Amino acid sequence: MSHSTVPRSRAEADRTGKAPAAPAATKGAREGQAPGRLSLRVRFRRDRVLLLMTLPAVVLLLVFNYLPILGNVVAFQDYDPYISDNGIVSILHSPFVGLENFQRIFEDSAFWNAVQNTLVLFVLQLVLYFPIPILLALLINSVVRPRVRAIAQAILYLPHFFSWVLVIAVFQQLFGGAGLLSQLLRQHGFDGLDVMTDPSTFKFLVTAQSVWKDAGWGIIVFLAALASVPPDLYEAAAMDGAGRRRRIWHVTLPALRPVIALLLVLRVGDALTVGFEQILLQRDAVGPGAAEVLDTFVWWNGVRNQDFGYAAAAGLVKGVVSLGLVLAANKVAHLMGEQGVYKK
C-alpha cells in the first residue's frame, strides 16, 4: 500500500475543489496587520486579568500624580483660596493675570539666588556623592567572606532609614558649636568650630549629610547589578593574565555601565530637587542667602507668604526645566549606546 506525499490539506483541496486555509499570519497580513502580531482585541482578552490587577495602581497614579497637575492653572492667576471653602470654586473665581507671575519670577533676585544655590548643590552632590556608592559597592563585592559582606552592607545601609531630623541632630552633636569636634579643639588650645552655622561650608555640609544617609541605598543597587555578572567573565579575564584592577576596569565597570547611565539620567532630572526637608531644617541657621533652594523658595512664598500664584509659577518653571533635563540626559544616554529611562 502506497502513501501519498501530497500534504493532507492540499489533497483535501483537490478532492473538494476548495483552496487550503491560509495561515493565521497570512490572514493578519491580509487584514493590514503585521505578520506574527496579535490584534489589540486579542491581546486585551489574553491579558485582561493582568490589566485588572494593575487597574488600582493606575487609578492611584492618576488621582495623586496627574490630576493635581491641573492645579498649575493658579500660576496664571492671582489665586485667593479664601474666596470659597471649595478649592475648585476658588480657582474658577480667581482673576487671571496671564504671565505676570512669571515676569515677577524672572525679575526677582531671590529666585535667581535660589537657582544658583540649587545648581551648586546639584554639581557638588553629583561629583562627590555619586561615585561613592560605586566605590563602596566594588569594595564590598571584593570581600570574600559572605558574613563580613552582609554586616558591612547592613551598617552602611542603616542610615537610610533615619529621618532628616535625626541625621541633622547627629551632625549637630559632632560638628556644632558645642559638638564633639569643637570640644576637642578647645581642649587642645584651639578655637571652637561651628560648621552647622557657617554659610561658606553649608553646601559641603549638606553633601556630607546626603552621602552618609543615602550612600547605602546606592550600594544596594550596584551590588544587585554586580550579582548579575557571570563568574565566567572573571575567570576568562584571569586566565588571560588580567589582574584585579584590570578585571574591575574591563569586566565590572562595563557591567555597571547601564545602571550608572540610568541613575545619572534620573539624577540629572532631579537636579532642581536637592532635599527640601533637609535644607528647610537648616535654613534659619545659615540664612536664606546660602540655604535657599527652589523647593524652599516655593514653600516660603506659597505657604508662609500666601502668594500661591507666584509660588505655583516658580514650581511650574522648575517642573518644565526638570523635564527638559531628563529628555536631554536620556538623549545623551542613547548616543552613548545605553537604554536610559526609555528606549528609542
Side-chain angles (χ1 to χ4, degrees):
M1 186 167 109
S2 62
H3 297 277
S4 174
T5 58
V6 182
R8 184 177 178 181
S9 59
R10 182 83 174 271
E12 291 179 353
D14 293 339
R15 290 197 302 267
T16 58
K18 297 180 180 179
T26 307
K27 289 183 178 180
R30 290 177 180 175
E31 295 173 359
Q33 183 181 337
R37 188 174 181 181
L38 299 176
S39 64
L40 180 62
R41 180 179 178 182
V42 174
R43 284 185 292 166
F44 180 80
R45 292 184 60 185
R46 182 193 61 185
D47 301 332
R48 61 183 181 275
V49 177
L50 296 176
L51 294 173
L52 289 175
M53 290 174 61
T54 59
L55 184 60
V58 173
V59 172
L60 289 175
L61 187 67
L62 291 174
V63 171
F64 292 101
N65 289 81
Y66 286 94
L67 283 181
I69 294 178
L70 300 177
N72 285 322
V73 69
V74 302
F76 304 92
Q77 293 178 321
D78 184 11
Y79 178 67
D80 185 2
Y82 305 107
I83 294 178
S84 173
D85 294 335
N86 191 323
I88 297 179
V89 175
S90 299
I91 292 177
L92 294 176
H93 289 83
S94 295
F96 277 86
V97 295
L99 300 177
E100 180 180 334
N101 290 324
F102 296 93
Q103 183 178 358
R104 289 174 54 199
I105 286 174
F106 295 128
E107 294 175 353
D108 191 351
S109 60
F111 171 77
W112 292 111
N113 177 66
V115 171
Q116 179 181 354
N117 291 336
T118 303
L119 294 177
V120 170
L121 278 174
F122 163 68
V123 172
L124 282 177
Q125 293 185 7
L126 187 64
V127 173
L128 300 179
Y129 165 71
F130 194 81
I132 292 179
I134 302 176
L135 298 177
L136 290 176
L138 294 176
L139 179 62
I140 294 176
N141 191 63
S142 64
V143 177
V144 178
R145 296 185 179 181
R147 185 176 181 83
V148 177
R149 184 188 309 175
I151 293 175
Q153 184 176 335
I155 293 174
L156 292 171
Y157 191 52
L158 182 62
H160 180 71
F161 297 99
F162 296 163
S163 66
W164 277 115
V165 176
L166 180 58
V167 171
I168 294 171
V170 171
F171 273 76
Q172 179 67 37
Q173 295 300 319
L174 292 176
F175 306 108
L180 180 62
L181 178 61
S182 183
Q183 292 179 14
L184 290 175
L185 290 174
R186 291 193 184 98
Q187 290 175 3
H188 291 82
F190 298 98
D191 294 332
L193 183 64
D194 189 2
V195 181
M196 302 297 293
T197 59
D198 188 357
S200 62
T201 60
F202 177 74
K203 297 177 178 61
F204 296 96
L205 173 68
V206 171
T207 304
Q209 292 170 350
S210 299
V211 170
W212 185 71
K213 184 178 186 298
D214 292 328
W217 180 86
I219 293 174
I220 298 294
V221 175
F222 290 115
L223 283 177
L226 289 174
S228 63
V229 181
D232 299 342
L233 296 179
Y234 292 106
E235 296 175 0
M239 292 180 63
D240 290 339
R244 173 170 294 185
R245 293 183 179 179
R246 286 192 173 275
R247 290 198 297 269
I248 292 176
W249 182 259
H250 294 288
V251 178
T252 305
L253 290 180
L256 293 178
R257 182 176 172 179
V259 180
I260 294 174
L262 176 60
L263 293 181
L264 273 176
V265 171
L266 295 177
R267 190 69 191 92
V268 170
D270 208 28
L272 303 184
T273 303
V274 287
F276 167 73
E277 183 181 358
Q278 174 192 11
I279 295 177
L280 182 64
L281 291 170
Q282 304 175 89
R283 180 179 183 273
D284 294 335
V286 297
E292 191 79 283
V293 294
L294 284 176
D295 282 342
T296 57
F297 178 84
V298 171
W299 177 85
W300 190 266
N301 286 279
V303 178
R304 293 297 296 269
N305 295 340
Q306 303 288 301
D307 196 350
F308 296 99
Y310 183 69
L316 186 58
V317 170
K318 173 196 165 186
V320 172
V321 173
S322 298
L323 177 61
L325 290 175
V326 169
L327 296 177
N330 200 72
K331 182 65 175 178
V332 172
H334 289 168
L335 294 176
M336 294 174 60
E338 301 297 335
Q339 179 176 337
V341 180
Y342 56 87
K343 295 181 180 180
K344 296 181 181 179

